[in-house]
């Protein structure tokens, strides 16, 4: 391989700082893009979609699990997919493997689910084999056709009003999906974002101080403001002067 040269620590640091300028530009451009997503017009969902869950029939509204936002990934696991019924799409399975702990998303009033056309018995068998905890439902109508995921994978995002009205707020597919997996990546494509005070969001959007809402994934049932997150000691530990901030 034609590898780059070996240089001194000083030259390596200089090269790294040169690239850091571009990395900061990418981070800020990503934040600006997420801010634009929060200002996207919404599309009303007019049809009543039906799914099959482990406990029986459920609606699109049920998939929210009482939360404000819903992220739905169309997972190709069904007749016609290679290796059916023993396994699902390799790319979709790769995606599922990189999903972070759902408690952090849930703490931001956001639910993530998978949907496929496979029967629940097959879904549960494959989910158990792979060790995934993501709720997974069976499509029973035209949901996949109506939301652009009948012939390709994709991630749809929805928002629920207090009266139960659902709107579609965003959609990502193709290579856009490959960057998803962390709680941050999912929150950045939602209508409300990360809901932290530093974000550029429309007036009235829910926001709290960064860091203070973060919790251990098994302690969100008893949430408390992480006051120590704002202390000087913690400030230094989390890298307040991070060069990528």
């Amino acid at each position: 391989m034609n590898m780059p040269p070996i240089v001194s620590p000083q030259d390596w640091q200089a090269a790294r700082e040169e690239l850091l300028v571009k990395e900061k530009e990418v981070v800020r451009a990503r934040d600006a893009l997420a801010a634009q997503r929060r200002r996207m017009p919404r599309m009303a969902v007019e049809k009543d979609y039906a799914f099959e869950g482990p406990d029986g029939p459920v609606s699109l509204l049920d998939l929210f699990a009482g939360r404000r936002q819903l992220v739905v990934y169309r997972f190709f696991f069904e007749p016609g997919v290679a290796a059916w019924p023993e396994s699902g799409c390799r790319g979709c399975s790769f995606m599922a493997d990189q999903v972070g702990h759902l408690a952090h998303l849930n703490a931001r009033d956001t639910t993530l689910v998978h949907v496929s056309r496979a029967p629940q018995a097959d879904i549960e068998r494959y989910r158990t084999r792979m060790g995934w905890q993501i709720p997974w439902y069976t499509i029973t109508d035209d949901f996949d056709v109506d939301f652009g995921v009948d012939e390709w994978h994709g991630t749809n995002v929805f928002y629920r009003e207090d009266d139960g009205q659902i709107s579609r707020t965003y959609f990502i597919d193709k290579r856009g999906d490959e960057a998803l997996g962390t709680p941050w990546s999912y929150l950045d494509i939602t209508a409300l974002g990360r809901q932290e005070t530093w974000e550029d969001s429309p007036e009235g959007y829910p926001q709290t101080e960064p860091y203070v809402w973060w919790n251990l994934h098994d302690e969100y049932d008893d949430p408390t403001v992480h006051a120590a997150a704002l202390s000087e000691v913690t400030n230094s530990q989390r890298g307040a002067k991070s060069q990528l901030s």
Side-chain angles (χ1 to χ4, degrees):
M1 293 190 299
N2 186 19
M3 297 287 287
I6 301 295
V7 298
S8 68
Q10 294 78 13
D11 287 344
W12 185 93
Q13 185 64 29
R16 192 260 171 173
E17 290 179 358
E18 182 178 347
L19 275 181
L20 184 59
V21 174
K22 295 182 179 180
E23 288 185 3
K24 286 184 177 182
E25 291 174 353
V26 170
V27 170
R28 286 169 173 75
R30 187 178 63 215
D31 291 341
L33 178 60
Q36 285 185 274
R37 290 190 187 109
R38 293 190 286 278
R39 291 167 172 83
M40 271 272 296
R42 303 179 185 187
M43 185 190 84
V45 177
E46 305 288 359
K47 294 170 62 174
D48 293 326
Y49 294 97
F51 303 84
E52 189 73 21
D55 299 319
V58 292
S59 65
L60 180 61
L61 184 60
D62 292 328
L63 267 55
F64 282 78
R67 301 186 181 94
R68 182 67 61 184
Q69 302 186 121
L70 174 67
V71 180
V72 182
Y73 178 70
R74 201 279 199 232
F75 193 121
F76 275 95
F77 180 46
E78 59 198 54
V81 174
W84 167 264
E86 297 307 316
S87 64
C89 165
R90 295 294 191 267
C92 295
S93 300
F94 199 125
M95 280 281 299
D97 277 339
Q98 67 191 38
V99 173
H101 203 288
L102 299 180
H104 305 298
L105 271 180
N106 297 164
R108 264 355 207 177
D109 216 8
T110 304
T111 297
L112 170 68
V113 304
H114 285 168
V115 295
S116 301
R117 286 201 170 270
Q120 278 296 298
D122 294 305
I123 285 176
E124 187 53 35
R125 184 188 68 252
Y126 190 40
R127 192 171 80 120
T128 299
R129 169 191 166 186
M130 301 303 289
W132 297 324
Q133 301 300 313
I134 306 161
W136 197 348
Y137 299 91
T138 302
I139 301 168
T140 66
D141 52 27
D142 293 332
F143 176 87
D144 49 358
V145 176
D146 291 349
F147 291 102
V149 288
D150 56 323
E151 295 181 351
W152 196 246
H153 62 85
T155 303
N156 278 283
V157 188
F158 301 92
Y159 183 84
R160 176 185 62 82
E161 303 287 353
D162 290 337
D163 62 2
Q165 174 62 52
I166 298 172
S167 56
R168 186 192 196 193
T169 61
Y170 208 65
F171 175 62
I172 283 184
D173 65 353
K174 300 178 180 175
R175 287 199 63 198
D177 273 336
E178 71 184 22
L180 300 176
T182 69
W184 306 124
S185 64
Y186 286 117
L187 291 174
D188 281 347
I189 65 172
T190 64
L192 299 181
R194 304 185 186 193
Q195 302 163 56
E196 295 186 340
T197 51
W198 63 271
E199 286 183 300
D200 176 11
S201 292
E203 185 178 355
Y205 274 40
Q207 290 186 323
T208 62
E209 290 291 330
Y211 305 106
V212 298
W213 67 271
W214 302 5
N215 211 340
L216 301 182
H217 70 247
D218 62 350
E219 292 186 359
Y220 278 114
D221 287 339
D222 185 25
T224 56
V225 173
H226 181 31
L230 299 180
S231 71
E232 287 301 316
V233 172
T234 307
N235 194 49
S236 63
Q237 291 174 344
R238 69 172 180 251
K241 297 180 180 179
S242 170
Q243 289 177 299
L244 273 179
S245 60

